[in-house]
Amino acid sequence: MKLTLKIWRQKNKNAHGEMKTYQVDHISDDMSFLEMIDVLNEELVEKNDDPVAFDHDCREGICGMCSMVINGQPHGPGKGITTCQLHMREFNDGDTIYIEPFRADAFPIIKDLVVDRSAFDRIQQAGGFISVNTSGNTIDANAIPVPKENADTAFDSATCIGCGACVAACKNSSAILFVSAKVSQFALLPQGELERKERALKMVEQMDKEGFGSCTNIGDCAAECPKEISLENIARLNREYISATIKSK
Ligand code: SF4
Ligand code: FES
């Protein structure tokens, strides 16, 4: 198939960016979206033009790197998939596709489609961990029983890959779905009990410091999340945060 691509090009954080138009031909239905950009980039390199910078690593929906907005949707059309899992069969011959970076003040553009999502790392470092005593013998994995329902819900929360699509989808650029998934992952398990109070307070504090917006209960975050992280996590984070605030007084 033959496609027209309108891609955001921006040399660096401070440069003026603009949409540029490219044509690609002989794109197979079976190619992934990133492979389609690879085809364009090979052509650009052959012409001594600057290839389009975009983030990727695993290319199988695990690492959360492939952040871009396709035709106005973070990770493009299709539910529960990342950009690297999107295939060209979702598009038609002759289509025009708009490709932009995730847009949020807390995710400054580094180049073209690459944004700096280190704000997420700093939120995670503020409280997204558990303390384990590693001296002595290794504790048996089954020594701390976890109710099956809690284990399953914690696992669902832990599937958040930190991609940032929730922030890009939100009109307020809120990171609450990401933070709530990371807090829930530990709040539901006995292993997360030790830092439970500090975790909710510190991760929310860091989220606010990074300049993410507030949640106004629109729900676009969950609708666009490639891992279908549920809004229930946000309700749980609110409970965790309120309870931690009361206990710290
Ligand atoms: S909650 Fe979903 S959209 Fe947000 S960072 Fe996690 S996986 Fe990505
Ligand atoms: S490249 Fe890893 S999730 Fe897309």
Side-chain angles (χ1 to χ4, degrees), residues 18 22-23 29 89 95 97 99 106 108 113 121-122 134 136 150 160 171 176 179 184-185 193 199 204 219 222:
E18 59 179 336
Y22 303 91
Q23 308 287 338
D29 283 6
R89 65 182 77 97
D95 274 0
I97 306 175
I99 310 169
L113 306 175
D121 296 340
R122 291 186 289 275
T134 53
N150 285 10
C160 165
K171 70 183 177 92
I176 199 82
V179 175
S184 292
Q185 173 185 345
E193 203 55 41
R199 179 177 303 113
V204 169

Side-chain angles (χ1 to χ4, degrees), residues 120 159-167 177-178 181 221 224-227 229:
F120 270 14
T159 59
C160 165
I161 52 175
C163 65
C166 44
V167 175
L177 193 65
F178 163 76
C221 51
E224 297 295 347
C225 171
K227 296 299 163 186
I229 296 294

Side-chain angles (χ1 to χ4, degrees), residues 34 56-66 82 84 161:
L34 297 188
H56 61 101
D57 189 2
C58 70
R59 294 202 177 203
E60 52 185 322
I62 298 170
C63 70
M65 295 290 287
C66 51
T82 52
C84 58
I161 52 175

Side-chain angles (χ1 to χ4, degrees), residues 53-247:
F54 64 97
D55 253 340
H56 61 101
D57 189 2
C58 70
R59 294 202 177 203
E60 52 185 322
I62 298 170
C63 70
M65 295 290 287
C66 51
S67 53
M68 60 183 83
V69 174
I70 302 160
N71 287 345
Q73 273 186 281
H75 294 302
K79 209 164 160 42
I81 56 167
T82 52
T83 300
C84 58
Q85 294 173 304
L86 173 65
H87 283 84
M88 296 314 295
R89 65 182 77 97
E90 300 295 329
F91 301 91
N92 298 309
D93 185 35
D95 274 0
T96 297
I97 306 175
Y98 291 80
I99 310 169
E100 297 168 79
F102 280 2
R103 295 196 188 275
D105 284 350
F107 289 165
I109 293 174
I110 296 172
K111 185 177 179 185
D112 298 337
L113 306 175
V114 181
V115 298
D116 178 356
R117 286 172 298 140
S118 56
F120 270 14
D121 296 340
R122 291 186 289 275
I123 294 172
Q124 189 74 0
Q125 285 158 7
F129 52 83
I130 59 164
S131 295
V132 175
N133 186 352
T134 53
S135 63
N137 291 337
T138 311
I139 301 172
D140 189 277
N142 294 326
I144 308 172
V146 180
K148 170 93 171 86
E149 196 183 326
N150 285 10
D152 287 349
T153 312
F155 184 82
D156 286 346
S157 303
T159 59
C160 165
I161 52 175
C163 65
C166 44
V167 175
C170 176
K171 70 183 177 92
N172 308 321
S173 300
S174 168
I176 199 82
L177 193 65
F178 163 76
V179 175
S180 69
K182 297 302 171 193
V183 166
S184 292
Q185 173 185 345
F186 299 118
L188 289 154
L189 299 176
Q191 289 89 339
E193 203 55 41
L194 192 59
E195 295 96 351
R196 187 168 180 173
K197 193 179 79 181
E198 287 76 21
R199 179 177 303 113
L201 295 175
K202 285 184 178 167
M203 290 183 83
V204 169
E205 186 188 349
Q206 190 64 36
M207 174 180 78
D208 290 342
K209 256 192 222 163
E210 298 290 348
F212 292 103
S214 301
C215 174
T216 48
N217 296 316
I218 305 293
D220 281 349
C221 51
E224 297 295 347
C225 171
K227 296 299 163 186
E228 301 183 318
I229 296 294
S230 156
L231 292 174
E232 282 174 23
N233 288 285
I234 299 180
R236 187 177 300 104
L237 171 61
N238 286 339
R239 292 195 294 275
E240 290 292 313
Y241 186 82
I242 290 166
S243 152
T245 309
I246 292 167
K247 281 178 195 161

